[in-house]
Amino acid sequence: MNTQVLGESIASWAKAFPLLEDITALRPVWWENPFKQRWMDASSSGFKVSEADMKEAADMWARFRPFIEREFPETRENDGIIESPLRPIPNVQTQLENHYKGNIEGSLYLKCDNELPIAGSIKARGGIFEVLRHAETLAIDNGLITKEDNYEKFATTAFKEFFNQYAIDVGSTGNLGLSIGIVSAAIGFDVSVHMSADAKQWKKDLLKESGAIVHEYSADFSKAINEGRKLSRENPNGYFIDDENSRDLFLGYSIAAFELKAQLDEQDIRVDRDHPLFLYLPCGVGGSPGGLTFGLKQIFGDNVHCFFVEPTHSPSVLIGLLTEKHEKISVQDFGIDNITEADGLAVGRPSSFATAISEKLISGVYTVEDDELFKMLALLMRSEGLKVEPSAASGLQGPMQLSKHPLYIENHDLSSRMKKATHVAWATGGSLIPETDWKAIYQKGKSLLGV
């Protein structure tokens, strides 16, 4: 184990932050964020993104709908709109209560980004958005299109030949690379995805089939992203999508808040002081849950409570926030191996851009052991017939964790309001898992449940 972290001994860090003892021992923890601010105070302090930016981002998505509809047949019945269902999962709620011996007040829902068109994960929102934003900028700057034109032009041979002279690189644990590789190849970009050791082979294979170049590394996410940056800098026509510091990725994730608001309205689900909303968001580098939190706070303010969830072996955002060192510190600095079956969450160092915003907005972080992820994905399949990957199941434990840590509820004067609460676990991916791989993880989950 590394005995020095930023020049200080691990013992001194543990003395300053007692929770580190459990974190470094790989025990599940619950952390309430002492830096969280009321929305009025946080928003007045100024962020690098705004609600106006979100609306502009949503307008760009709308311009690309004709292209998306033409290139990706699975989006045609929804007119090129990329969104996922919000499903009530009462049977899972009962199963969670029985398995974990507790009570969940309120109603539980699953936001099924595992079913999101094109790339089947939450990362599709940010990844596709940034690729399309870059393509639009190049096309406008070169006089190929205006914002008033029909963006179906992006699907023509002439446009694809134009974009083929430009390269896109990205480092990924799996899902972000999958979304960027698929849509970049569809646009015509020369796209390379730098995949860390924990990325699943089927994701690499799917990328290659879509036309992306896959660079495989024996190290973790930090190595993959650094190599991607280096190669991109060497190409004068290169563009690097930086998962650790991207404003556009963050914006692409944030506009899912508009989608969720519309779905809550459609299902007559109120969100106000007497009807609190709780979100449980799987967290890797922190961009997607951070973007969602920012977007949801814009809409619901202090009536939405967002919790991040990380694997016990990859608590990068938790350590960054707890110590206030953010991206300057990694899990490996504390001897944590960053090895987890939740490949989309296997990140050792948090996003500098997202973490600076999330610090003021999120309610807390909890960590989960890998075995619990398998149990929960099995519970979800057995109860609702929904297929998710291990990382996507992590949010399901959130309502139970909240009920077992009542101080948060008491401190926010929520005790009398919890029966009217709405809990949303955000599923990150799963629909594209090959059947052979799925059978293996589902069987492992059932075995751990003893069924």
Side-chain angles (χ1 to χ4, degrees):
M1 176 183 280
N2 182 7
T3 59
Q4 292 286 321
V5 183
L6 300 181
E8 300 179 32
S9 70
I10 285 183
S12 67
W13 279 99
K15 185 176 180 180
F17 306 102
L19 192 64
L20 280 171
E21 181 178 349
D22 284 336
I23 293 172
T24 55
L26 307 179
R27 289 189 285 266
V29 300
W30 169 271
W31 177 76
E32 292 178 22
N33 179 15
F35 311 112
K36 177 177 173 285
Q37 299 177 4
R38 291 188 311 159
W39 171 242
M40 183 180 296
D41 296 330
S43 57
S44 65
S45 67
F47 292 117
K48 293 181 180 179
V49 286
S50 67
E51 186 177 12
D53 294 325
M54 289 172 58
K55 290 176 179 176
E56 181 187 343
D59 289 342
M60 193 213 74
W61 271 112
R63 290 194 292 274
F64 270 99
R65 280 170 54 186
F67 163 77
I68 293 168
E69 186 175 358
R70 177 167 167 178
E71 285 290 313
F72 300 100
E74 64 268 36
T75 70
R76 288 175 186 165
E77 65 180 44
N78 206 21
D79 300 321
I81 297 173
I82 300 173
E83 61 183 22
S84 68
L86 175 67
R87 302 187 189 282
I89 48 172
N91 294 330
V92 175
Q93 183 168 342
T94 301
Q95 291 294 320
L96 289 169
E97 290 174 331
N98 292 340
H99 182 72
Y100 292 109
K101 311 300 182 190
N103 178 55
I104 298 172
E105 290 192 285
S107 302
L108 179 59
Y109 292 77
L110 188 73
K111 186 68 171 88
C112 297
D113 272 7
N114 54 303
E115 301 177 33
L116 205 67
I118 302 178
S121 83
I122 190 175
K123 290 291 190 177
R125 301 177 188 280
I128 292 172
F129 175 81
E130 183 154 358
V131 171
L132 296 182
R133 168 67 66 85
H134 182 52
E136 181 185 59
T137 301
L138 287 173
I140 290 174
D141 289 350
N142 285 273
L144 297 179
I145 204 164
T146 70
K147 291 181 179 179
E148 289 70 41
D149 289 337
N150 185 341
Y151 275 33
E152 193 173 352
K153 288 183 178 180
F154 281 88
T156 63
T157 300
F159 270 59
K160 291 179 188 293
E161 289 175 351
F162 167 77
F163 287 115
N164 194 242
Q165 63 187 309
Y166 296 94
I168 285 181
D169 286 84
V170 64
S172 177
T173 60
N175 285 341
L176 180 64
L178 200 58
S179 65
I180 288 171
I182 290 171
V183 77
S184 294
I187 286 277
F189 285 118
D190 177 14
V191 57
S192 293
V193 183
H194 303 263
M195 307 285 275
S196 52
D198 36 73
K200 301 302 183 187
Q201 187 60 46
W202 67 265
K203 295 181 182 179
K204 298 174 186 177
D205 294 341
L206 191 55
L207 273 167
K208 293 172 185 176
E209 291 170 13
S210 72
I213 298 168
V214 176
H215 301 268
E216 302 182 42
Y217 300 90
S218 57
D220 72 357
F221 174 75
S222 295
K223 173 70 172 179
I225 200 169
N226 287 334
E227 288 299 313
R229 282 196 194 99
K230 178 182 175 183
L231 287 176
S232 186
R233 281 196 296 264
E234 294 170 356
N235 185 345
N237 282 344
Y239 180 83
F240 184 67
I241 295 179
D242 191 342
D243 199 15
E244 291 184 335
N245 194 31
S246 172
R247 181 177 183 274
D248 282 341
L249 280 179
F250 190 91
L251 272 175
Y253 300 131
S254 73
I255 58 178
F258 295 138
E259 176 186 326
L260 180 63
K261 170 65 163 63
Q263 291 174 326
L264 292 170
D265 289 345
E266 288 168 7
Q267 298 188 41
D268 295 321
I269 299 170
R270 294 174 60 185
V271 179
D272 54 31
R273 188 169 183 271
D274 292 323
H275 301 79
L277 174 63
F278 295 86
L279 269 291
Y280 309 97
L281 304 166
C283 179
V285 72
S288 54
L292 280 167
T293 297
F294 176 80
L296 290 161
K297 286 289 184 178
Q298 291 284 349
I299 297 170
F300 299 116
D302 294 323
N303 297 319
V304 63
H305 307 261
C306 298
F307 292 88
F308 290 1
V309 50
E310 297 184 290
T312 54
H313 285 252
S314 302
S316 61
V317 171
L318 172 56
I319 288 179
L321 290 175
L322 171 69
T323 63
E324 298 183 76
K325 295 299 181 181
H326 296 189
E327 79 286 354
K328 296 180 180 65
I329 209 162
S330 75
V331 301
Q332 290 93 339
D333 291 333
F334 291 90
I336 300 173
D337 60 19
N338 192 35
I339 298 174
T340 171
E341 288 294 326
D343 58 309
L345 311 183
V347 175
R349 190 182 301 274
S351 161
S352 58
F353 184 92
T355 307
I357 296 173
S358 298
E359 179 182 49
K360 298 179 180 180
L361 300 181
I362 69 167
S363 295
V365 183
Y366 67 93
T367 60
V368 181
E369 293 176 309
D370 278 12
D371 280 358
E372 299 305 309
L373 303 180
F374 286 99
K375 290 179 186 178
M376 286 184 286
L377 71 83
L379 281 175
L380 185 61
M381 171 56 74
R382 294 179 71 236
S383 301
E384 305 287 350
L386 298 174
K387 182 168 116 177
V388 301
E389 61 187 1
S391 59
S394 58
L396 288 169
Q397 205 183 66
M400 190 58 63
Q401 288 283 345
L402 181 64
S403 73
K404 292 185 176 181
H405 296 88
L407 271 181
Y408 182 87
I409 295 170
E410 294 170 12
N411 290 340
H412 289 77
D413 192 24
L414 293 166
S415 300
S416 63
R417 301 177 173 91
M418 291 306 295
K419 285 186 166 65
K420 298 177 181 178
T422 300
H423 304 272
V424 177
W426 207 288
T428 55
S431 63
L432 299 181
I433 301 174
E435 193 59 29
T436 301
D437 295 69
W438 166 250
K439 286 179 178 178
I441 64 174
Y442 181 43
Q443 185 56 49
K444 180 173 181 177
K446 290 197 297 181
S447 296
L448 288 167
L449 285 173
V451 298

